[in-house]
Amino acid sequence: MKENKLKVSFFVQAKRTDKKGLVPVIGRISVGRTHSGFSTKCKTPIALWDSRKQRLIGKSSMAVSVNQKLGECTALIHTRFHELSERKETFTATDVRYAYQGQIHRQALLLESFGEYLTQTKERIGIDRALKTFKLRTYQLSLLREYVQKKHRVSDVPLSQLDKAFIEGFEYYLTIDRKLKRSSISSTVSTLQTIVRMAVKKGVLDFYPFLGYSYERPKGEPRSITQEELEHIINLEIKWENYRIVRDLFVFSCFSGLAISDVRNLREENIVLEEGELCIKGRRMKTKTPYRVQVLPPALEIMNRYRGIRAGFVFDVPTTDIILNGMHHIQRNIGMKTPLTFHMARHTFASLITLSAGVPIETVSRMLGHTNLRTTQIYAVVSSERIHRDMQKVQQRIQDTFTLKL
């Protein structure tokens, strides 16, 4: 077919250097405007690769062997291309790659691989994975299954068929068809990327299909409540006992920075006396990172209110459904327009309780049990009061130090 032009090119992936200093040689088939990559199963020292000639330089045994293999690949691809040209009116670079590689008797499948990953995640619940993570991954698998079945009209897809077009199509499906938020799309595509990386690492997949693809990762936004809103929550009259418990736990988290999973698993042994101060010490359920935070008076009052109900633990925390309903009840009754979530208590502890009081961000990061200071910076909202107070200090210092004579 005259309108289809074939081009076979080769390049190396410098970022995938192995322990021997060798990099993989990757092939790319181009037919018209379509492209498809494949592994040549060849490796080379990057110093021997001539990117212009797309071959190894020199006459070493390695150079001769690899160059011969690349020549054979090119010749066979051209043969398969001409065979398809005679049989088909239209075809893509992927069709040529399939014809070149031949039928693999047992190909690794995408949804099947995702299912195996999901099984591993389930087995790690309570060790280094949370139940909500498993539920999220299960939902993401259902989204991927929908895309494969509705848009590709197959029950599963071989991992070897993944390419940039498939990934971009999946992102488009999540955006347009499912109308998901950018954060949900980013998380789902990131999970797909994890599955692909695992396949590459295991040797199941030779070519990394995310090469040259990037997706927008939303910036984290602070979600703290104001001092006025916190006061409304503290003073709110609540009829139902379970919702009162939810409110008290939320306030406790605002003054301690603990996530709900850490509040649920807070034991009496985590309450210790250090340097004459009562502190909470432990490791975060989510990351196993150590944290240490001094018990502030409001947090102590709430702790004393509930201690002794559940043996060995500080609190007897209600179910997730009760917490969600309780937070919605509180939001509605204090007149908040934005949804109120339990996690906002950690943001409030960081911004309203600590940072606005002048606590260094490094200290706040340690109390929150963050592994990265950049995570804490997302939580960092400094109030206008704090800015005004700090600038008053700067103004006073300038007046005491500098005198302008104009």
Side-chain angles (χ1 to χ4, degrees):
M1 48 190 292
K2 294 180 180 179
E3 64 271 19
N4 268 353
K5 291 185 178 180
L6 171 68
K7 180 182 178 183
V8 182
S9 55
F10 301 97
F11 59 94
V12 295
Q13 289 186 317
K15 292 183 179 180
R16 291 178 58 192
T17 307
D18 63 16
K19 294 179 180 179
K20 296 181 180 180
L22 302 178
V23 295
V25 180
I26 303 300
R28 177 177 290 162
I29 301 170
S30 300
V31 177
R33 294 184 178 182
T34 65
H35 308 280
S36 186
F38 65 94
S39 170
T40 65
K41 301 190 182 300
C42 296
K43 290 189 174 184
T44 175
I46 196 165
L48 293 183
W49 182 253
D50 186 329
S51 58
R52 187 177 63 83
K53 295 182 178 180
Q54 299 182 13
R55 293 292 188 273
L56 274 66
I57 58 176
K59 296 184 178 180
S60 65
S61 58
M62 175 182 283
V64 171
S65 174
V66 171
N67 288 341
Q68 182 178 349
K69 176 71 181 294
L70 299 184
E72 291 172 354
C73 285
T74 304
L76 185 55
I77 289 169
H78 275 83
T79 299
R80 296 291 178 259
F81 172 79
H82 290 303
E83 290 172 352
L84 285 172
S85 298
E86 293 174 359
R87 297 200 313 264
K88 287 189 174 186
E89 184 177 344
T90 60
F91 57 88
T92 66
T94 303
D95 295 322
V96 177
R97 175 165 64 86
Y98 292 159
Y100 158 67
Q101 291 177 330
Q103 292 295 322
I104 300 174
H105 67 281
R106 178 65 176 92
Q107 297 189 85
L109 302 175
L110 174 60
L111 298 178
E112 184 180 276
S113 299
F114 202 133
E116 292 172 358
Y117 169 71
L118 203 57
T119 301
Q120 294 172 3
T121 303
K122 186 176 182 179
E123 292 171 350
R124 293 164 66 175
I125 294 174
I127 302 173
D128 58 354
R129 292 292 184 273
L131 177 60
K132 67 177 183 179
T133 302
F134 172 73
K135 290 181 177 179
L136 174 62
R137 299 292 177 260
T138 303
Y139 171 64
Q140 291 171 340
L141 173 58
S142 71
L143 292 173
L144 185 58
R145 183 177 288 111
E146 279 181 20
Y147 170 65
V148 168
Q149 294 176 353
K150 289 183 178 180
K151 298 300 180 179
H152 292 263
R153 302 187 182 282
V154 293
S155 59
D156 207 339
V157 176
L159 279 168
S160 60
Q161 291 186 20
L162 294 191
D163 54 17
K164 188 178 177 183
F166 178 93
I167 300 165
E168 289 177 339
F170 184 43
E171 182 183 1
Y172 183 87
Y173 175 76
L174 297 176
T175 306
I176 304 302
D177 292 61
R178 291 306 304 262
K179 295 180 173 55
L180 298 184
K181 293 181 180 179
R182 177 47 53 183
S183 57
S184 298
I185 296 169
S186 175
S187 174
T188 305
V189 174
S190 178
T191 302
L192 174 61
Q193 195 171 20
T194 298
I195 304 298
V196 169
R197 282 202 189 102
M198 289 172 62
V200 172
K201 190 175 181 180
K202 290 178 182 177
V204 174
L205 190 60
D206 294 324
F207 181 75
Y208 184 57
F210 275 86
L211 192 68
Y213 171 81
S214 63
Y215 54 94
E216 181 186 346
R217 293 176 172 85
K219 294 181 180 179
E221 294 183 359
R223 295 178 293 164
S224 62
I225 61 176
T226 65
Q227 181 174 335
E228 183 181 4
E229 289 169 335
L230 179 56
E231 289 173 353
H232 284 329
I233 292 172
I234 293 172
N235 297 322
L236 181 64
E237 291 289 336
I238 300 178
K239 220 186 323 186
W240 294 283
E241 182 183 1
N242 278 338
Y243 288 0
R244 282 201 304 271
I245 294 171
V246 172
R247 185 271 308 279
D248 290 348
L249 294 179
F250 179 82
V251 174
F252 171 79
S253 185
C254 285
F255 286 96
S256 67
L258 271 64
I260 184 60
S261 58
D262 298 315
V263 174
R264 191 185 301 277
N265 290 278
L266 185 61
R267 293 178 171 272
E268 291 289 351
E269 62 199 51
N270 296 124
I271 313 301
V272 298
L273 195 64
E274 286 191 348
E275 300 176 359
E277 300 290 348
L278 199 63
C279 298
I280 302 174
K281 287 186 68 175
R283 288 183 177 272
R284 289 206 62 206
M285 290 297 297
K286 181 179 179 180
T287 60
K288 305 303 178 186
T289 309
Y291 68 88
R292 177 188 181 278
V293 60
Q294 185 175 321
V295 180
L296 298 173
L300 179 60
E301 183 180 337
I302 294 172
M303 281 171 51
N304 291 338
R305 188 179 304 170
Y306 292 100
R307 291 171 92 167
I309 298 176
R310 182 185 177 199
F313 291 85
V314 177
F315 299 106
D316 186 15
V317 179
T319 63
T320 301
D321 286 341
I322 291 175
I323 291 173
L324 292 174
N325 291 335
M327 297 306 297
H328 181 66
H329 174 82
I330 294 167
Q331 173 210 330
R332 189 173 62 248
N333 280 274
I334 67 169
M336 276 186 70
K337 293 183 179 179
T338 57
L340 180 66
T341 65
F342 203 99
H343 193 68
M344 292 169 82
R346 272 172 68 79
H347 287 257
T348 303
F349 174 77
S351 59
L352 180 65
I353 306 301
T354 55
L355 289 170
S356 289
V359 179
I361 193 169
E362 294 82 3
T363 304
V364 176
S365 184
R366 176 70 186 275
M367 288 191 288
L368 291 173
H370 284 159
T371 56
N372 194 317
L373 191 62
R374 283 180 296 181
T375 305
T376 314
Q377 289 171 340
I378 296 172
Y379 287 50
V381 176
V382 180
S383 67
S384 57
E385 274 182 41
R386 168 72 193 281
I387 295 171
H388 176 72
R389 192 164 61 244
D390 288 346
M391 289 308 296
Q392 288 286 91
K393 293 177 182 178
V394 173
Q395 183 176 339
Q396 186 62 48
R397 184 179 177 187
I398 289 174
Q399 288 176 346
D400 294 342
T401 308
F402 301 99
T403 303
L404 295 183
K405 295 181 180 180
L406 301 178

